[in-house]
Amino acid sequence: VQLQASGGGLVQAGGSLRLSCAFSGGSFTSYTMGWFRQAPGKEREYVAAISASGQSTYYTDSVKGRFTISRDNTKSTMYLQMNSLKSEDTAVYYCALRPYYYSYALSRERSFGSWGQGTLVTVSS
């Protein structure tokens, strides 16, 4: 299984970006998908997750109401629509996955695997 994140870039505060995560090498619908990010000098943190069917979505408090996670199971691709971006959203964003039947907390980074290479989002103030 491989994941390829893309869509990062430089954006002004208040702007928007959409990240994509392309999946290959397996059955996309067997996995819960997640986005994580790592800001300069900080540990990687959980951002959002989506169930295998796409019916359930979850967010960390700091992005609720601004970010929307989605997936297109026909295209084996996950997305993260980021609106009202803030300077504190600056980070490398990673996508990852875990089997749909895992019941660990979604914020538990170690329960995810097959990390993509990351895509850099820079928000200028």
Side-chain angles (χ1 to χ4, degrees), residues 20 70 94:
S20 298
S70 63
Y94 298 90

Side-chain angles (χ1 to χ4, degrees), residues 28 31-35 46 48-59 68-73 77-79 96-98 100 106 112:
F28 187 56
Y31 299 101
T32 295
M33 302 294 296
W35 286 101
Y46 161 76
I50 187 166
S51 64
S53 67
Q55 291 184 335
S56 298
T57 57
Y58 312 88
Y59 301 92
T68 302
I69 189 172
S70 63
R71 64 192 292 165
D72 185 338
N73 286 348
T77 303
M78 173 180 65
Y79 305 97
L97 55 78
R98 71 184 199 184
Y100 72 91
L106 291 167
F112 284 83

Side-chain angles (χ1 to χ4, degrees), residues 46-107:
Y46 161 76
V47 175
I50 187 166
S51 64
S53 67
Q55 291 184 335
S56 298
T57 57
Y58 312 88
Y59 301 92
T60 193
D61 286 347
S62 62
V63 308
K64 283 180 181 177
R66 300 189 298 123
F67 290 12
T68 302
I69 189 172
S70 63
R71 64 192 292 165
D72 185 338
N73 286 348
T74 66
K75 296 181 179 179
S76 296
T77 303
M78 173 180 65
Y79 305 97
L80 186 68
Q81 177 67 43
M82 305 186 294
N83 298 329
S84 303
L85 282 161
K86 305 175 181 179
S87 57
E88 51 263 44
D89 295 318
T90 294
V92 177
Y93 284 71
Y94 298 90
C95 55
L97 55 78
R98 71 184 199 184
Y100 72 91
Y101 51 81
Y102 272 22
S103 58
Y104 301 107
L106 291 167
S107 58

Side-chain angles (χ1 to χ4, degrees), residues 33-49:
M33 302 294 296
W35 286 101
F36 291 76
R37 66 185 179 186
Q38 186 168 21
K42 295 187 177 181
E43 294 186 350
R44 190 156 57 187
E45 64 173 357
Y46 161 76
V47 175

